């Protein structure tokens, strides 16, 4: 009954267990010390690593609905099942272990006891590892003679991370239907060699042994093979792991492919057989013949093999393995169409590639045994049986039909031609030929599609700019379609021939067909006229050019493009392209004319093209033309146009707005006291409100040559630019330009002196911002203002004699300024020296003020000007050292000052100017002329030299005359 009085105990196979993926796994479970029936029920569940607390039911011996859905299919298909070993013990079978089968397994037994007492379940862990075991041995077909030796190599490897052992063994199957393998030699997991029962004696004498080479190579050696060794040999490797219960379990087994071993009994008989892989062939197939020699100890014997076709020798292989072809087969052998091999001493092979009808017939092989390889006479000869080889010719079932969907077109239209190929079973190549109506002959190649689908155009059709980009396409139905995008003229009509060639095993079959098309011409006449509503455009104004096209057809029927051309004014060369509008509407701008791009509108209205330019600027002035091109229908604008015309030229002049500037022309006089400040007025009578003004002040000195001197220019942005004569800091500080109102400018002159005398006037420029910058509209010149000085009524007595002085460069010179007579008491004197420049400007050099201070306006001369005043009335000026640029006209002015009262200003009471001193400078002593002039003897020689030359010339003439006269 199985009843016990003990405590119920459920036990399972001890874990953890490691098993490989895909293997058949069994887990045992048993129960003891239970009450109730002898046959207990078992239920298996698993706790997956991803959810270790959740029970997943697998299989039960009592409840068919026990498995969860994830296991239902495998349980029903017997992929997982429970085998009852006895009433209280079972095995859980997993026939093909999967990665998801890893986890903690629980074996549970439902209670059959009167009370719960003991354990009702037990758990163990199962891990799934990869199957890394591999075993390989190349398959062989070996024919040996009794007593020969053979060696078989088995490659075994594993990469399991767990500690495992390998066992490697060789097994022997006697016959083809034998399923019971006999052990030959086993290397166990414990590294012990164990021979099979039939191989023990041979193992002991060393005829059966195993050699391990490296980590993965195992070699089985069989010496002295016997007829009993005949059959199939293979290698089997097993991977073993030690379970927690200290038992070893094979977790993976791998078998290699098999080697077929034939062992011939010893003797002097010679048997020859011939076999063919296939004897009924078609042209282009491959014929494979094998000649097999059977003889005892064949490896140590010497054979010569001759291949025969219809009794005639084809080739022979001598005992050394040297191959010789008969003469009529040598060329085919060189081309690789014939091959004869000797894989072993007992197997000879003849291969004919791409057989033809000439290879039909009866094949035999003749084997002769020689005593030694060099013997000419055979010991014995044997012929194989006959093999009849029949080669059938290949016939092509290809059919061809040619058609066109465009039988009648107009020049410029496309041609579409179809070549339908049916029945071809091998790759097909296609050629299209054109047979022009006016040019009989073999035709012109249009396009070719090779067997691999590559397309090649004929030389006449390679230029895509002529007829567009030709296309040759193959549809899946076997139709080859040729598309010529654009026909040129009537010559593109006529017949088009399609030639299709089927290729198979070195042979080809060609079919051809034709279709005819008609191409009618289309004459094109084109003329373009360019006009503009306005030819003179104000700055900033828009203008439009209209290119009117007239033709003998409507432009909508054919693609047309327009190219706008421009030649700036004045011309700098030929016309430049501005922009082109293609038939597709694409606009192509020329980079050099990119300033047009932002302000140009391009339009097409009916049969006219329009170029609208906004906000004209000076760069837009010039001559414009339009050029129109048209193509025949369906032609992309890549080829040559069918008609082209260029319009007449239209000139556009861009003018600035008229200046309305008026400047006052009234002359005036201004008198100023010495050293006083004064101002010159420049009055604007009219200027536009939105314009800007620039003013330039000029001076005409009294001693000048009527060339005006620029004093200062104030630009429209108030930037000051002084003339060269007024660019020194002292001059800049005295002459200031100021705009005092919207219609008035003043030139301020501070501390005026005699050098400031002359006529002043202004030049006013009117500037206006127009689209792309500031432009000068015009200018006006004012009347002249004469600046004079108010002289005191009393004049000082001075030496006014004009003098001329010559001074050598580098030396010292004194310019005299002498006051004659005494000046009034309680008065002070001031003196000023001036140099009259070439421009006529009186440039101040040095000023001695009445308070005794000295001012040197010209910094470059400051270190060379000295006022030494040996007496109170002597204001002579010393220059030291003299330089070449000091030459010129000098004068001085002396003024008498008196204070107007205690604490009041000083005023001029009397004044006078000296005469002019003309200073001439000469080079220093080191010059050549100075040396000549300073040497009397050298100077006399130079003076007498011409007279001496004249006397010598007269003497020569007299001698010549006397000689020839006599």
């Amino acid at each position: 009954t199985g009843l016990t009085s003990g405590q119920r105990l459920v036990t399972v196979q001890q874990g953890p267990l490691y098993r490989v993926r895909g293997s058949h796994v069994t887990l045992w479970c048993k129960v003891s010390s239970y009450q109730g029936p002898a046959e207990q029920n078992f239920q298996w569940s698993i706790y997956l690593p991803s959810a270790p607390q959740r029970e997943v039911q697998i299989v039960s011996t009592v409840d068919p609905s026990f498995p969860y859905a994830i296991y239902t299919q495998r349980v029903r298909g017997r992929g997982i099942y429970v085998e009852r070993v006895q009433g209280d013990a079972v095995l859980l079978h997993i026939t093909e272990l999967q990665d998801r089968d890893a986890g903690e397994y629980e074996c549970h037994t439902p209670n059959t006891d009167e009370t719960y007492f003991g354990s009702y379940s037990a758990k163990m862990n199962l891990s799934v590892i990869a199957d890394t075991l591999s075993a390989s041995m190349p398959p062989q077909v070996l024919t040996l003679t009794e007593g020969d030796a053979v060696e078989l190599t088995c490659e075994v490897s594993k990469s399991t991370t767990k500690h495992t052992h390998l066992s490697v063994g060789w097994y022997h199957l006697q016959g083809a239907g034998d399923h019971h393998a006999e052990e030959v030699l086993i290397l166990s997991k414990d590294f012990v060699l164990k021979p099979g029962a039939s191989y023990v004696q041979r193992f002991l004498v060393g005829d059966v042994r195993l050699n391990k080479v490296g980590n993965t190579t195992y070699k089985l050696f069989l010496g002295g093979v016997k007829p009993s060794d005949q059959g199939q040999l293979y290698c089997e490797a097993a991977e073993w792991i030690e379970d927690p219960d200290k038992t070893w379990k094979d977790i993976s087994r791998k078998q290699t492919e098999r080697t077929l071993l034939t062992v011939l009994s010893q003797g002097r008989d010679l048997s020859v057989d011939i076999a063919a892989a296939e004897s009924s062939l078609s042209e282009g197939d491959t014929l494979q013949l094998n000649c097999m020699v059977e003889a005892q100890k064949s490896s140590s014997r010497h054979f010569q093999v001759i291949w025969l076709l219809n009794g005639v020798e084809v080739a022979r292989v001598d005992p050394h393995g040297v191959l010789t072809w008969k003469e009529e087969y040598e060329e085919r052998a060189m081309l690789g169409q014939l091959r004869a091999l000797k894989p072993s001493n007992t197997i000879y092979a003849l291969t004919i590639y791409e057989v033809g009808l000439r290879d039909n017939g009866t094949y035999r092989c003749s084997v002769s045994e020689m005593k030694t390889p060099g013997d000419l006479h055979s010991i014995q000869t044997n012929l194989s049986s006959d093999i009849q080889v029949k080669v059938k010719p290949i016939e092509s079932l290809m059919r061809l039909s040619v058609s066109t969907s465009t039988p009648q077109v107009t020049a410029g239209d496309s041609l579409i031609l179809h070549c339908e190929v049916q029945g071809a079973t091998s790759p097909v190549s296609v050629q299209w030929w054109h047979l022009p109506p006016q040019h009989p002959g073999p035709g012109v190649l249009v396009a070719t599609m090779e067997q691999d689908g590559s397309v090649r155009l004929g030389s006449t059709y390679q230029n895509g700019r002529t007829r567009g980009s030709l296309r040759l396409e193959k549809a899946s139905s076997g139709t080859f379609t040729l598309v010529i995008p654009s026909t040129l003229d009537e010559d593109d009509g006529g017949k088009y021939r399609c030639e299709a060639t089927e290729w198979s095993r070195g042979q080809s079959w060609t079919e051809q067909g034709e279709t005819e098309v008609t191409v009618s011409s289309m004459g094109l006449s084109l003329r373009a006229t360019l006009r503009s509503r306005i030819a003179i455009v104000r700055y900033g104004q828009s203008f439009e050019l209209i290119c009117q096209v007239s033709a003998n057809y409507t432009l909508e029927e054919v693609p047309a493009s327009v190219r706008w051309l421009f030649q700036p004014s004045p011309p700098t060369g030929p016309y430049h392209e501005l922009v082109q509008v293609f038939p597709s509407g694409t606009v192509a701008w020329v980079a050099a004319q990119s300033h047009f791009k932002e302000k140009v509108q391009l339009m097409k209205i009916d049969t006219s093209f329009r170029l609208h330019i906004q906000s004209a600027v000076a760069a837009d002035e010039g001559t414009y033309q339009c050029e129109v091109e048209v193509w025949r229908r369906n032609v992309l604008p890549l080829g040559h146009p069918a008609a082209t015309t260029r319009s007449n030229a239209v000139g556009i002049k861009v003018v600035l707005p008229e200046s309305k500037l008026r400047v006052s022309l009234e002359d005036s006089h201004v008198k100023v006291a010495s050293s006083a400040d004064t101002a010159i007025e420049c009055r604007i009578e009219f200027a536009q409100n939105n314009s800007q003004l620039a003013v330039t002040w000029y001076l005409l000195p009294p001693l000048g040559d009527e060339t005006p001197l620029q004093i200062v220019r104030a630009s429209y942005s108030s930037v000051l630019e002084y003339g060269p004569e007024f660019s020194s800091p002292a001059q800049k500080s005295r002459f200031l330009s100021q705009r005092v109102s919207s219609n008035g400018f003043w030139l301020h002159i501070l501390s005026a002196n005699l050098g400031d005398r002359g006529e002043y006037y202004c030049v006013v420029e009117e500037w206006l911002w127009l689209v792309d910058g500031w432009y000068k509209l015009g200018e006006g010149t004012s009347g002249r203002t004469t600046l004079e000085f108010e002289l005191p009524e009393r004049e000082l007595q001075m030496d006014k004699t004009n003098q001329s002085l010559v001074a050598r460069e580098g030396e010292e010179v004194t310019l005299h300024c002498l006051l004659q007579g005494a000046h009034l008491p309680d008065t002070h004197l001031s003196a000023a020296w001036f140099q009259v420049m070439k421009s006529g400007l009186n440039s101040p050099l040095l000023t001695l003020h009445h308070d005794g201070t000295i001012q040197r306006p010209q910094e470059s001369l400051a270190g060379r000007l000295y006022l030494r005043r040996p007496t109170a009335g002597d204001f002579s000026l010393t220059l030291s050292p003299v330089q070449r640029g000091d030459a010129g006209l000098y004068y001085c002015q002396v003024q008498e000052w008196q204070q107007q009262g205690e604490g009041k200003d000083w005023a001029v009471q009397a004044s006078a100017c000296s005469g002019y001193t003309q200073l001439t400078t000469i080079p220093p002593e080191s010059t050549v002329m100075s040396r000549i002039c300073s040497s009397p003897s050298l100077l006399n020689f130079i003076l007498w030299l011409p007279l001496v030359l004249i006397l010598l010339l007269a003497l020569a003439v007299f001698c010549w005359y006397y000689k020839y006269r006599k």
Side-chain angles (χ1 to χ4, degrees):
T1 64
L3 299 176
T4 65
S5 59
Q7 179 179 339
R8 174 186 282 260
L9 177 64
V10 177
T11 57
V12 294
Q13 188 168 345
Q14 186 177 353
L17 299 182
Y18 295 93
R19 298 295 184 261
V20 300
R21 185 187 311 117
S23 63
H24 187 135
V25 176
T26 61
L27 305 176
W28 61 258
C29 177
K30 62 183 178 179
V31 60
S32 61
S33 302
Y34 57 87
Q35 299 176 5
E39 185 173 285
Q40 292 289 300
N41 287 313
F42 294 83
Q43 295 176 337
W44 286 89
S45 301
I46 187 173
Y47 296 85
L48 299 174
S50 59
Q53 304 301 322
R54 183 166 63 88
E55 177 187 7
V56 180
Q57 297 175 178
I58 302 176
V59 64
S60 170
T61 61
V62 62
D63 184 4
S65 63
F66 181 77
Y68 278 9
I70 190 173
Y71 289 103
T72 300
Q73 191 67 28
R74 295 172 69 187
V75 171
R76 288 178 181 174
R78 298 285 291 174
I80 299 177
Y81 63 93
V82 178
E83 177 191 359
R84 188 178 292 278
V85 180
Q86 58 187 34
D88 55 3
V90 295
L91 285 176
L92 173 65
H93 288 262
I94 303 176
T95 59
E96 188 175 351
L97 190 64
Q98 302 177 8
D99 288 333
R100 60 178 180 172
D101 294 331
E104 186 179 41
Y105 284 78
E106 180 181 42
C107 176
H108 175 74
T109 60
N111 183 31
T112 59
D113 305 335
E114 293 180 359
T115 60
Y116 282 91
F117 185 59
S119 66
Y120 293 87
S121 65
K123 296 181 179 180
M124 58 83 62
N125 278 307
L126 174 64
S127 296
V128 181
I129 61 178
D131 186 1
T132 63
L133 178 64
S134 69
S136 63
M137 183 175 69
Q140 301 180 74
V141 177
L142 302 177
T143 301
L144 303 177
T145 302
E146 185 178 1
D148 289 344
V150 65
E151 187 177 63
L152 303 177
T153 301
C154 183
E155 294 287 339
V156 179
S157 66
K158 67 179 181 68
S159 58
T160 311
T161 57
K162 300 301 178 181
H163 176 70
T164 59
H165 288 186
L166 288 178
S167 64
V168 180
W170 273 267
Y171 296 85
H172 175 234
L173 289 171
Q174 189 71 38
D178 188 3
H179 298 290
H180 175 68
E182 181 185 12
E183 294 180 354
V184 179
L185 186 61
I186 306 296
L187 175 63
S188 72
K189 67 179 183 301
D190 302 318
F191 313 108
V192 176
L193 284 174
K194 298 178 181 179
S198 303
Y199 293 87
V200 172
Q201 188 60 37
R202 296 167 66 185
F203 172 74
L204 293 177
V205 299
D207 281 344
V208 176
R209 60 180 182 266
L210 182 144
N211 297 319
K212 184 179 181 185
V213 181
N215 292 327
T216 62
T217 303
Y218 299 83
K219 294 187 176 183
L220 173 68
F221 175 81
L222 284 177
V225 296
K226 300 179 179 181
S228 60
D229 295 329
Q230 184 167 287
Q232 299 181 68
L233 293 169
Y234 65 89
C235 170
E236 181 179 271
E239 185 175 8
W240 299 77
I241 192 168
E242 186 179 21
D243 286 344
D245 60 0
K246 302 304 180 181
T247 62
W248 285 86
K249 170 64 178 174
D250 56 330
I251 59 175
S252 179
R253 284 185 177 272
K254 296 292 172 64
Q255 287 186 5
T256 66
E257 296 187 78
R258 298 176 181 183
T259 293
L260 179 60
L261 176 62
T262 301
V263 180
L264 303 177
S265 300
Q266 292 189 13
R268 300 304 298 171
D269 58 327
L270 180 63
S271 174
V272 181
D273 195 11
I274 188 170
E278 182 66 48
S279 61
S280 181
L281 306 170
S282 298
E283 284 185 281
D285 288 343
T286 299
L287 173 61
Q288 176 73 51
L289 297 173
N290 289 324
C291 181
M292 294 160 287
V293 180
E294 293 186 10
Q296 296 180 3
K297 295 186 178 181
S298 59
S299 61
S300 60
R301 297 163 70 175
H302 311 288
F303 303 111
Q304 175 179 270
V305 176
I306 300 176
W307 288 99
L308 305 169
L309 171 59
N310 297 327
V312 179
E313 181 178 341
V314 176
R316 68 172 58 201
V317 180
D318 69 10
H320 290 291
V322 177
L323 171 64
T324 304
W325 293 97
K326 295 300 287 184
E327 183 178 356
E328 56 267 34
Y329 292 95
E330 286 181 350
E331 183 178 355
R332 294 177 67 186
M334 291 178 62
L335 296 174
Q337 298 175 1
L338 301 178
R339 186 173 66 172
L341 298 175
K342 180 185 177 182
S344 69
N345 203 36
T346 59
I347 298 178
Y348 297 81
L350 173 65
T351 305
I352 303 178
Y353 300 98
E354 298 181 0
V355 296
L357 298 178
R358 59 186 169 178
D359 299 317
N360 269 318
T362 303
Y363 287 84
R364 303 179 73 182
C365 64
S366 172
V367 180
S368 300
E369 183 179 4
M370 308 296 183
K371 186 174 182 180
T372 62
D375 283 354
L376 298 177
H377 302 287
S378 62
I379 299 174
Q380 57 177 329
T381 299
N382 202 351
L383 281 171
S384 70
S385 58
D386 297 341
I387 282 190
Q388 189 69 31
V389 175
K390 185 177 181 181
V391 180
K392 297 179 295 184
I394 299 177
E395 296 180 359
S396 175
L397 302 177
M398 181 176 63
R399 299 186 309 278
L400 187 70
S401 62
V402 183
S403 62
T404 177
S405 55
T406 54
Q408 293 185 344
V409 297
T410 303
D413 288 344
S414 61
L415 284 183
I416 303 176
L417 308 168
H418 307 285
C419 182
E420 184 177 2
V421 179
Q422 296 178 337
T425 58
S426 300
V428 174
S429 63
V430 169
Q431 285 187 332
W432 278 99
W433 296 82
H434 178 216
L435 310 174
Q438 307 300 330
H439 305 285
V444 179
L445 178 63
V446 180
T448 299
M449 178 179 285
E450 302 294 349
Q451 306 167 55
D452 59 1
S454 60
V455 176
R456 177 171 48 86
L457 300 180
S459 58
T460 306
Y461 295 84
Q462 288 178 358
N463 185 2
R465 301 172 63 88
T466 304
R467 293 177 177 85
S469 298
L470 272 69
R471 303 193 307 275
L472 178 53
E473 302 169 341
K474 178 185 178 183
S476 58
S477 61
T479 299
F480 297 82
T481 300
L482 174 66
V483 179
I484 301 177
S486 171
T487 51
L488 290 181
D489 47 35
E490 297 94 327
D491 287 342
D492 281 347
K495 293 182 179 180
Y496 285 83
R497 182 174 68 236
C498 172
E499 294 181 358
T501 303
E502 182 178 9
W503 302 84
S504 177
R505 298 174 177 176
Q507 298 189 67
S508 63
W509 299 266
T510 300
E511 295 287 337
Q512 64 181 30
E514 296 180 352
T515 186
E516 190 167 0
V517 297
T518 302
V519 179
S520 58
S521 64
M522 180 180 69
L524 300 179
S525 175
L526 189 68
R527 187 165 64 88
T529 303
L530 184 64
R531 58 187 175 85
S532 174
R533 293 190 176 92
I534 51 177
I536 300 178
V537 183
R538 293 193 309 276
Y539 216 94
Q541 184 183 1
S542 299
F543 65 94
E544 186 174 76
L545 297 167
I546 303 172
C547 182
Q548 186 68 47
V549 182
S550 58
N552 59 346
Y553 48 85
T554 59
L555 289 179
E556 286 73 11
E557 292 181 355
V558 294
S561 74
V562 62
R563 182 183 290 108
W564 289 96
L565 307 172
F566 172 67
Q567 185 183 58
S569 178
T572 58
Y575 279 84
H576 309 300
E577 180 178 335
L578 290 181
V579 63
Q580 183 173 7
V581 183
F582 293 96
S584 61
T586 302
V587 177
W589 287 95
V590 176
Q593 307 296 336
S594 58
H595 72 280
F596 281 95
K597 184 175 181 180
E598 303 299 328
K599 62 176 187 174
V600 167
Q601 292 179 348
L602 299 165
M603 295 170 286
K604 180 178 182 296
I605 301 176
D606 296 332
T607 59
S608 66
F609 297 93
R610 303 194 177 197
L611 178 72
H612 185 88
I613 299 179
Q614 299 175 338
S615 303
V617 297
D620 300 337
E621 183 174 318
T623 306
Y624 292 81
Q625 278 188 322
C626 67
E627 183 178 86
V628 180
E629 297 176 329
V630 296
W631 286 261
R632 293 184 173 90
R633 285 190 292 271
N634 301 326
V635 179
L636 294 175
L638 300 176
H640 297 290
T644 303
T645 185
R646 181 178 287 197
S647 72
N648 56 295
V650 170
I652 297 296
K653 182 175 179 60
V654 180
V655 297
L656 295 172
E658 184 180 354
S659 176
K660 303 295 182 64
L661 178 68
R662 292 200 309 273
V663 181
S664 175
L665 302 177
E666 182 180 352
D667 294 336
S668 61
H669 289 75
V670 173
K671 286 191 176 183
V672 61
S674 179
S675 298
D677 297 340
T678 187
I680 309 296
E681 182 183 16
C682 178
R683 184 162 50 89
I684 311 301
E685 295 181 347
F686 181 81
Q688 300 182 52
N689 293 332
N690 59 343
S691 64
Q692 296 290 333
L693 301 179
V695 62
T696 305
W697 293 94
Y698 292 94
L699 166 64
L700 286 171
L703 299 179
D705 56 357
E706 294 299 321
T707 300
L709 306 179
Q710 177 183 325
I711 303 172
V712 62
R713 181 180 187 273
S715 69
Y716 59 82
S717 56
S718 301
V719 176
L720 298 179
E721 180 185 352
Y722 283 86
E725 291 83 359
F726 295 85
S727 59
S728 67
Q731 294 287 68
K732 287 182 178 180
S733 64
R734 292 199 313 113
F735 290 88
L736 304 174
S737 178
Q738 180 187 11
R739 184 168 186 174
V740 295
S741 66
S742 61
N743 59 352
F745 292 91
W746 281 3
L747 176 65
H748 293 278
I749 305 175
L750 306 181
S751 301
N753 56 54
L754 283 179
D756 300 333
R757 291 174 298 173
E759 295 181 349
Y760 291 80
Y761 68 92
C762 67
V763 175
V764 181
E765 303 167 2
E766 185 177 23
W767 291 79
L768 190 64
W769 175 265
L770 298 172
V771 183
D772 59 341
W774 288 93
Y775 286 86
K776 178 180 173 182
L777 302 184
E779 65 180 27
T781 303
S782 70
R784 299 186 179 185
T785 298
T786 303
L787 177 64
E788 298 177 348
F789 280 83
E790 294 180 349
L791 299 176
E793 294 181 358
R794 188 166 61 86
E795 184 177 4
L796 296 175
Q797 298 296 317
M798 288 192 70
D799 182 6
K800 294 190 177 184
T801 305
N802 294 332
Q803 300 180 17
S804 293
L805 295 178
V806 177
R808 193 177 302 281
E809 295 175 21
E811 297 182 354
E812 181 180 286
V813 67
T814 298
L815 309 178
H816 297 288
C817 179
L818 300 174
L819 182 65
Q820 297 175 348
H823 61 87
L824 297 176
D826 298 327
T827 61
H828 290 179
L829 296 176
S830 68
W833 274 95
F834 299 91
Q835 180 183 13
V836 181
M837 310 301 290
K838 293 181 179 179
S839 61
L841 181 67
N842 295 343
S843 176
L845 301 177
L846 182 145
T847 301
L848 172 65
H849 294 284
H850 63 81
D851 60 358
T853 61
I854 295 178
Q855 180 181 4
R856 295 177 174 85
Q858 298 188 36
E859 295 180 359
S860 60
L861 298 175
R864 297 192 299 117
L865 299 178
Y866 303 98
L867 197 64
R868 291 174 176 164
R869 298 193 66 189
T871 62
D874 189 349
F875 297 95
S876 298
L877 180 67
T878 300
L879 276 76
S880 177
V882 174
Q883 297 179 1
R884 180 180 302 178
D886 294 336
L889 199 63
Y890 294 82
Y891 71 94
C892 72
Q893 179 191 31
V894 179
Q895 293 178 323
E896 184 183 68
W897 296 76
Q898 187 174 29
Q899 192 174 18
Q900 302 301 303
E902 186 73 25
K904 293 186 178 181
D905 293 338
W906 290 76
V908 177
Q909 301 299 316
S911 175
C913 289
S914 70
Y916 291 104
T917 299
Q918 179 68 49
L919 175 63
T920 301
T921 61
I922 59 176
E925 285 281 352
S926 61
T927 63
V928 174
M929 289 304 299
S930 63
R931 290 183 179 181
I932 293 175
C933 295
S934 61
S935 174
S937 59
L938 184 59
L939 182 60
N940 290 334
F941 173 76
I942 293 173
L943 293 176
W944 280 96
L945 182 60
L947 181 60
V948 173
L949 292 175
I950 292 172
L951 291 174
L952 291 174
L953 179 61
L955 180 60
V957 171
F958 174 79
C959 292
W960 176 84
Y961 177 79
Y962 177 80
K963 177 180 179 181
Y964 286 96
R965 178 75 174 175
K966 191 172 183 178

